[in-house]
Each structure stands twice: as C-alpha cells, then as structure tokens.
Amino acid sequence: MDFPMFHLDWLNDRFLIAVIAIIHVMINHGLAVGFIPYITWLEYKGVENAPDDQITDSNWDTLIRNKMRVAFIITTTIGAMTGVGIWFSVTLVSPSSIGSLIRVFYWAWFTEWLVFVTEVLLIMIYYLTWKNSNKSLNAKLKHIRFGVFLSVASWLTMAIIVSILGFMMDPGNWNTEKSFLNGFTNPIYLPQLAFRTPVALLMGGVFGMLLTTIFSKKGSEIRRKAVKYAGQWILLWTPFAIAGAVYFWNVMPEAMRANMSTAVGSMDFEEYYDLLKYFIIGAASLCIILAVLAIAKPRKINFATVILPCLFVFGFLGIFERVREFVRKPYVIGNYMYSNLLREEDYPLYKKEGILKHATYTSVTEITPDNKVMAGRDVFMLTCSRCHTTNGINSIVDVFENMYGKDKPLNEQAMASYIPNMHQGRAFMPPFPGNKKELEALVAYIKQLQESGESLQGAQSAGVAINPLNAVDEVAKRLDAEAVAKNEEKESTN
C-alpha cells in the first residue's frame, strides 16, 4: 500500500523469489553448512592416518582440497549472488513484509551480517592457505581449526535466519507482546533448526561422495577410503534428519498441515501429493542404502550410483522450501500480515472505506462507471498481484476459467459472489479486503482481462500515480489540522 508495486506479469512475483531462494538454500545447506564440517573432518583424517614421516597423506590431502575448491567457487559466486538476490527480489516484491521483519529482527540481522562477513573471511583463509598449511604439523592443525571455525560460522548464519523463517510461519505470542525475544524464540524455531541441521550435514556427505567419484580414480585405495568415510557420515546423519522431520511436522500448526497437499505444487498438482510423499521417503531410503553400500562395498560406488541419491536429496530440500513458503498462507507473517502485504488489523478499515482511499499509489480514489475497469486494475495490483498474474504463471483468468469452464465468458455475478467468501473454501487465500464497489471493479477488470488478454505492467514499466489524498502536502495539511485541533481542545479544557 505504501510502496510502488513491482510486478512481473509473465513470471509471477513470488516465483521470482522462490527460484533465487531455493538455489541459495541448496548451496548454503549442501555446500556450506553441511559440506564444510565434512571436509574439515576428512582433512583431519588425512593427518590422523598419515605415515609417521609425513604431516598428512599428500594424495588424500589433494583429493580433499579439490573437493573444497568446488564448494569455494560455488559458494563465493552463485551462493553470494543469490544471497544478495534474495534481498533485492524480496525488497521489490514484498517491501512491507521485509520492512516489518527488519523492525523486529534488526539486531539479529545485524549479528548475522557480522557472522556472514566472518564466514567469508574464514572461507578465503581456509581455502587459499591450504597448500601452505602443509609445511608443518602445527600449521596443518591450525588450518583444521580454521575449518572448525568456518563450520561454526556457517551454521550460525543459518541458525539466525531460521529463527526469522520460523517467525514468519508462527510468531507465537509476539502478536500480543511484541518484543525481539518473543519473535526470536518462536515455536517453530528449534524444531526447524533441528530439522535443517542434520539435513544439511546429510547433503554435504552425499555431495562429497559424488565429488569423490569425480576427483579420484576408479578402483584406487584413496577412493575406497573416501567413499567409506562418506558412507559413515551419511549413515550418521540420516536418522537425525528423519527424527528432525518428524519433530518439525508434529509442532507445525494444524492449519499449515491442511495446506500441505496444495503446497507441494498447486491446486492442479494436488493429486500428486502422495507421490511426492514417497519421493521424500525415497530420498531418505536411498541415502541409507547408499551409505550401507559405501561402507560394505566401497569399490562398487561410482558416479552413476551416487547421482540419483544426490538429486533426490537436493530435490527434497527444494520441495521443502516450496512447501514452507506456501503452508503459512494466507499469511506472509503469521496472524499479522496477509500474503497480499495488508495487515490483518487494518482489514476492518479497508472493508468500511475501501483500500483505494488509503493506498499511496493509485490512479483512482473514487470509483465511477467511467473508471471502473481502471479502478479494478488498481485493486488487483494492491490485493492480488503478489501471488497472481493476469495472463502468466498462476493467472487470475486461468483460476476462474478452471472453476467456471474454459472457452466461455466469465460470469461477473458468480465471481462477485465467490471472491468475498473464497477464503472459507480455500484456507490459503486471504480474505478480500475491499468494499463492494471495489469488488465490482475487480470483477469487471478480470472480465476484461479474459476478453483482451492484456498484461498488467508493474511500477518499473508503467510508472506510478500518487493518490492525491495521500500526497505529501495533503498529509501534511491533515496533520497540521489535527495538531491545531488538539491544541485548541487543550486550551479549551484549561
């Protein structure tokens, strides 16, 4: 309401965030949080198993450094860019929610930034000083300690961010007592952290085994040892990942569980929900089978045997992120702000006076027969465009055509009857916030969209129109008038 609305009509705004975020989380979990401890452990194993006359097994150390090089390159390029990309995309698409989160978690994010900078410095030191650390045992042990510090820093960045993600799902008692501590210690925080941590460590082991098959010769003793260690690592963390998933599921609010079947894809994808549950079970089962095979018969392991479990495990995390984002609907911040970026507490005012009157950026403030469609376009932008497009992904036209039939004109009366009650049938939809005139305008706009096939341009293309009622000079006049009235009332009582 208070920000110009960025909009990608062909793509879907939240889909933009989702693509960037899922890539970033896969890299963060699989190549940082889970992979760095695994690499540090393997580096230590090289020292532990080295001949008495050597600091470390040089061939082993080269293999581990080659695997670390992959993580170093990906995390410092794609990982860093997608991390920044999340901030840019969320600021564009969901400025009100990110603004609210910053106000609550300012010091948490500030601390996370300091830890992140430390993490960047540590990964530079850890990788770039690897060769020089082999000059003495003392230097090598110091280098391994840097790996431990880097592992802790990587986990701490995740631990802080997971609190914010948990808050968005279920703020707990923050809605009644708005403090940072209440927000940080939300009910979802520890269960989600208990789930993400072993999953990340599991992913690190599976990805590490895949790299072993790339950087070592088939049948070599060094591959046998590395594969066996990876199997032990995977077998250690898989039960914790399963237990964390059960714990997380059991504390998830019932309303979120009800959204689960739709969350895995869409309403159209709901029939495949059971298949995806088996996909998740299959990922855990494949990891266990892979780990047992790697320990029992490490020479049987090759790229082909590892790639499928690796894809399953990374795919599982991608599905989890999609589900986590969706199940909290109709809210973007639980019980505080709806996914259309309107606060729940403001709904009575919007219902009474309309949202256009209180919007900062709108071309229409008073709906007339002449501007009805234009008003409907502004209502759509303010209340629907965060999740829907006009003719792109999750098109509003497609939604109603799927309900009422394709290749025939949409019925305005049917849509006008459905929209005010849609949240009762679809729990993931926020209630329509506008008044009756705005509802009629929105229906007229959707009807025109079907007929014209036009696209909705965001503020980045179409520019902005400022509501004259909420322009700076008008707001200043109202504030001055209110101040004068208060002073006069004060003087009269004296």
Side-chain angles (χ1 to χ4, degrees), residues 247-318:
Y247 178 31
F248 187 26
W249 171 264
N250 286 334
V251 302
M252 192 179 295
E254 186 59 38
M256 294 184 186
R257 294 188 201 177
N259 280 344
M260 194 68 72
S261 61
T262 308
V264 293
S266 65
M267 293 291 289
D268 297 332
F269 208 63
E270 190 170 2
E271 61 185 287
Y272 299 107
Y273 175 52
D274 288 337
L275 178 63
L276 285 170
K277 285 194 294 186
Y278 294 132
F279 177 90
I280 293 169
I281 295 170
S285 301
L286 278 174
C287 288
I288 293 173
I289 293 170
L290 177 66
V292 171
L293 182 62
I295 294 170
K297 296 186 177 182
R299 296 190 187 279
K300 296 287 186 180
I301 299 296
N302 54 39
F303 182 87
T305 57
V306 184
I307 187 63
L308 186 60
C310 190
L311 291 175
F312 261 74
V313 131
F314 277 80
F316 161 72
L317 185 64

Side-chain angles (χ1 to χ4, degrees), residues 77-282:
T77 53
I78 302 173
M81 287 188 294
T82 51
V84 175
I86 291 173
W87 275 101
F88 274 114
S89 60
V90 171
T91 302
L92 287 172
V93 171
S94 192
S96 297
S97 65
I98 198 67
S100 295
L101 291 171
I102 289 173
R103 284 192 290 273
V104 177
F105 291 97
Y106 175 83
W107 290 111
W109 252 314
F110 179 76
T111 303
E112 189 272 339
W113 182 80
L114 293 178
V115 176
F116 171 72
V117 172
T118 303
E119 182 186 359
V120 172
L121 292 174
L122 286 172
I123 197 171
M124 298 284 285
I125 293 170
Y126 185 61
Y127 176 71
L128 296 177
T129 63
W130 193 299
K131 286 185 177 180
N132 289 334
S133 71
N134 292 330
K135 292 180 178 179
S136 70
L137 179 60
N138 186 49
K140 190 62 173 174
L141 293 177
K142 283 184 178 179
H143 186 261
I144 292 171
R145 282 197 289 273
F146 270 111
V148 174
F149 297 149
L150 173 58
S151 300
V152 172
S154 298
W155 182 83
L156 283 175
T157 58
M158 182 187 74
I160 295 171
I161 296 301
V162 165
S163 171
I164 300 169
L165 298 177
F167 174 83
M168 295 173 74
M169 294 179 72
D170 184 1
N173 62 354
W174 177 86
N175 278 310
T176 55
E177 189 177 340
K178 292 179 170 60
S179 69
F180 165 72
L181 186 60
N182 281 339
F184 195 86
T185 57
N186 58 81
I188 301 290
Y189 175 42
L190 290 180
Q192 189 174 180
L193 189 61
F195 167 71
R196 285 181 181 271
T197 300
V199 166
L201 292 163
L202 170 61
M203 292 173 67
V206 175
F207 185 67
M209 187 185 291
L210 185 71
L211 292 181
T212 296
T213 65
I214 295 173
F215 291 116
S216 62
K217 291 182 180 180
K218 184 178 180 181
S220 65
E221 177 63 18
I222 197 169
R223 173 183 281 200
R224 186 194 69 81
K225 286 174 59 179
V227 164
K228 196 166 185 176
Y229 280 139
Q232 293 171 359
W233 182 274
I234 295 166
L235 199 60
L236 170 65
W237 293 111
T238 300
F240 287 99
I242 295 171
V246 173
Y247 178 31
F248 187 26
W249 171 264
N250 286 334
V251 302
M252 192 179 295
E254 186 59 38
M256 294 184 186
R257 294 188 201 177
N259 280 344
M260 194 68 72
S261 61
T262 308
V264 293
S266 65
M267 293 291 289
D268 297 332
F269 208 63
E270 190 170 2
E271 61 185 287
Y272 299 107
Y273 175 52
D274 288 337
L275 178 63
L276 285 170
K277 285 194 294 186
Y278 294 132
F279 177 90
I280 293 169
I281 295 170

